[in-house]
């Protein structure tokens, strides 16, 4: 007798725990309202989830033989129902409080289904949401009376390209809510900027303002940012106009539009991204090969260029004198000088770039 008392005590504690867990957070309920049918569908889906999750459970502890003799099998036991109710709604990441609230409201109704209906033949959603609570309607039905949604001349619901307003609920007026690309009373027509291809409405090219087929050659008109040339919509290069962007910005052309981007901070105006595309500098800087450099750096660059130029002229004069005396030796000398100049120029270019980058 003791195990039975203990079992009843545990059952009472579980029911008390469930009652606490399904107390709703009213502040969250105000922020996201759901229709009754949606709430009921969420609840029944959660119930089925935990029904599946407890499908292999069994009684634990106590006198197993006494449990099997005196209690129902675990699959339809009160203990399993309590386990389901404990987990009910807890797995949800969205609308959890709505689920908890409805679970508390219909707790006794759920127990009635559990103990008196066969879950193998009586679907919980249909039994609870449609037949008992009357929150929902069968698929393809709407309104308080759950009347069938209207069909087109081919007996299709919204031409197979939409659903009726209120479908599956006790609300709505039954008019067709068409999928993207379709319009009309029964979604039998293509929307603007869509064209019919093999009984399917396909999107026009992004350059078109209405079209008769695929591609830019089928446009009825061109959208803003495009222009019709030779019966085809061509992108307009807005950046060809220099007055679109501010002085410290440069223009980037895009299909059908453009965008102004800020120049590098070292530039007063520019023609592109980075510090090497400046077209104008502040008064204290000088434009040098697309970069804004200070006076001291400018003099250093000019001095290095002059020094190398003097060296190269000197080497050239030496080569001329050698050429007069020995052509073969002069040719060899010129090759050596060429290699030397090439190496020196590469090194100087790297040093020059480092100098200018360090300034910025």
């Amino acid at each position: 007798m003791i195990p039975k008392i203990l079992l009843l005590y545990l059952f009472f504690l579980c029911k008390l725990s469930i009652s606490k867990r399904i107390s709703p957070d009213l502040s969250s309920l105000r922020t996201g309202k759901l229709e009754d049918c949606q709430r009921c569908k969420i609840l029944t889906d959660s119930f089925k989830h935990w029904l599946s999750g407890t499908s292999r459970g069994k009684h634990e502890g106590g006198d197993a033989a006494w449990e099997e003799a005196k209690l129902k099998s675990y699959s339809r036991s009160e203990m399993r129902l309590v386990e389901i109710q404990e987990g009910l709604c807890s797995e949800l990441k969205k609308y959890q409080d709505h689920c908890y609230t409805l679970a508390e409201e219909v707790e006794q109704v759920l127990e009635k289904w559990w103990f008196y209906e066969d879950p193998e033949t009586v679907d919980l959603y249909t039994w609870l949401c449609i037949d008992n609570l009357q929150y929902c309607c069968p698929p393809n039905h709407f309104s308080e009376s759950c009347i069938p949604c209207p069909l087109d001349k081919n007996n299709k619901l919204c031409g197979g390209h939409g659903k009726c307003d209120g479908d599956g609920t006790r609300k709505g007026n039954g008019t067709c809510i068409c999928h993207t690309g379709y319009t009309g009373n029964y979604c039998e027509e293509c929307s603007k900027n869509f064209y019919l291809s093999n009984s399917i409405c396909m999107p026009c090219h992004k350059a078109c303002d209405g079209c008769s087929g695929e591609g830019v050659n089928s446009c009825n008109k061109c959208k803003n940012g495009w222009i019709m040339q030779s019966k085809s919509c061509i992108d307009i290069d807005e950046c060809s106009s220099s007055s679109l962007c501010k002085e410290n910005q440069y223009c980037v052309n895009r299909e059908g539009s453009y965008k102004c981007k800020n120049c590098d901070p070292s530039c007063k105006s520019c023609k592109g991204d980075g510090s090497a595309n400046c077209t104008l500098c502040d008064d204290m800087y000088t434009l040098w090969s697309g970069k804004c450099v200070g006076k001291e750096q400018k003099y250093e660059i000019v001095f290095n260029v002059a020094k190398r130029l003097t060296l190269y002229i000197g080497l050239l004069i030496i080569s001329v004198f050698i050429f007069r005396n020995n052509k073969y030796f002069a040719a060899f000398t010129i090759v050596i000088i060429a290699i030397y100049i090439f190496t020196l120029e590469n090194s100087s270019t790297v040093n020059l770039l480092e100098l200018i980058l360090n300034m910025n």
Side-chain angles (χ1 to χ4, degrees):
M1 190 68 183
I2 294 176
K4 186 175 181 181
I5 295 174
L6 179 61
L7 187 62
L8 292 174
Y9 177 70
L10 292 174
F11 174 75
F12 172 76
L13 291 179
C14 289
K15 295 285 282 185
L16 182 62
S17 172
I18 293 168
S19 177
K20 291 180 179 179
R21 292 185 65 181
I22 60 179
S23 297
D25 180 359
L26 295 179
S27 62
S28 65
L29 292 179
R30 295 189 192 101
T31 59
K33 187 177 181 181
L34 284 180
E35 292 182 353
D36 289 337
C37 182
Q38 292 174 295
R39 290 197 304 147
C40 195
K41 181 67 166 62
I42 291 171
L43 175 63
T44 55
D45 285 346
S46 179
F47 194 98
K48 292 175 184 178
H49 170 82
W50 289 103
L51 183 65
S52 174
T54 58
S55 60
R56 295 184 180 181
K58 62 180 180 179
H59 294 298
E60 296 180 0
D63 188 339
W66 179 87
E67 290 171 349
E68 291 297 329
K70 299 297 182 181
L71 301 177
K72 295 180 180 179
S73 66
Y74 176 78
S75 63
R76 302 299 293 166
S77 69
E78 193 167 16
M79 182 63 73
R80 186 183 181 191
L81 175 61
V82 170
E83 291 181 14
I84 293 172
Q85 289 177 317
E86 273 197 309
L88 198 61
C89 308
S90 63
E91 83 283 4
L92 299 175
K93 295 182 179 179
K94 193 175 182 181
Y95 303 127
Q96 190 180 74
D97 289 326
H98 293 275
C99 182
Y100 280 141
T101 304
L102 185 60
E104 185 177 22
E105 293 173 1
V106 301
E107 182 178 354
Q108 294 182 349
V109 184
L110 283 173
E111 291 177 356
K112 180 180 177 182
W113 176 83
W114 178 259
F115 291 118
Y116 298 105
E117 301 294 340
D118 181 7
E120 299 296 329
T121 57
V122 180
D123 177 64
L124 177 59
Y125 169 76
T126 302
W127 185 88
L128 179 67
C129 303
I130 298 177
D131 297 335
N132 281 272
L133 299 181
Q134 295 187 349
Y135 287 165
C136 306
C137 287
N140 301 336
H141 290 70
F142 72 101
S143 82
E144 288 290 340
S145 304
C146 283
I147 60 177
C149 293
L151 304 177
D152 64 10
K153 60 183 180 180
N154 298 318
N155 288 325
K156 283 187 176 183
L157 176 62
C158 298
H161 303 302
K163 66 176 184 178
C164 76
D165 183 39
D167 187 1
T169 73
R170 300 272 173 164
K171 299 183 178 182
N173 57 18
T175 58
C176 284
I177 302 174
C178 302
H179 297 157
T180 301
Y182 296 87
T183 187
N185 292 334
Y186 294 99
C187 306
E188 74 279 11
E189 302 173 4
C190 291
S191 303
K192 185 179 180 181
N193 287 323
F194 285 81
Y195 66 94
L196 189 64
S197 176
N198 297 323
S199 301
I200 299 175
C201 291
M202 303 294 292
C204 297
H205 189 276
K206 57 185 175 182
C208 300
D209 183 10
C211 69
S212 57
E214 184 181 7
V216 293
N217 297 321
S218 300
C219 298
N220 299 333
K221 293 192 301 182
C222 299
K223 287 183 179 178
N224 292 335
W226 307 78
I227 187 171
M228 185 74 75
Q229 292 182 357
S230 302
K231 298 182 180 181
S232 179
C233 289
I234 306 298
D235 176 49
I236 298 174
D237 184 6
E238 291 88 352
C239 294
S240 59
S241 173
S242 59
S243 60
L244 292 176
C245 300
K246 298 178 181 178
E247 185 182 28
N248 63 338
Q249 293 180 327
Y250 65 96
C251 182
V252 178
N253 186 54
R254 295 181 173 180
E255 282 192 322
S257 65
Y258 69 95
K259 185 174 182 178
C260 292
K261 293 188 175 183
N262 292 329
C263 297
D264 187 85
S266 64
C267 306
K268 188 174 181 179
S269 66
C270 65
K271 61 180 179 180
D273 186 30
S275 59
N277 283 306
C278 299
T279 56
L280 188 63
C281 304
D282 290 328
D283 294 338
M284 58 186 302
Y285 293 97
T286 301
L287 186 64
W288 184 281
S289 298
K291 288 182 172 287
C292 292
V293 299
K295 292 182 179 180
E296 292 183 2
Q297 286 77 21
K298 175 186 174 183
Y299 293 147
E300 186 176 347
I301 293 170
V302 172
F303 176 75
N304 287 333
V305 172
K307 185 169 67 174
R308 292 203 309 276
L309 184 59
T310 302
L311 175 61
Y312 299 155
I313 292 174
L315 291 174
L316 180 60
I317 292 173
I318 293 172
S319 300
V320 171
F321 279 109
I322 295 174
F323 182 77
R324 290 180 179 177
N325 297 322
N326 190 326
K327 294 182 180 180
Y328 296 104
F329 183 66
F332 176 75
T333 303
I334 290 173
V335 171
I336 298 299
I337 291 174
I339 294 174
Y340 171 74
I341 292 175
F342 176 79
T343 304
L344 185 61
E345 282 297 315
N346 280 344
S347 176
S348 299
T349 301
V350 171
N351 292 336
L352 177 61
L353 288 175
E354 289 180 351
L355 173 64
I356 296 175
L357 290 174
N358 288 334
M359 293 185 311
N360 297 327

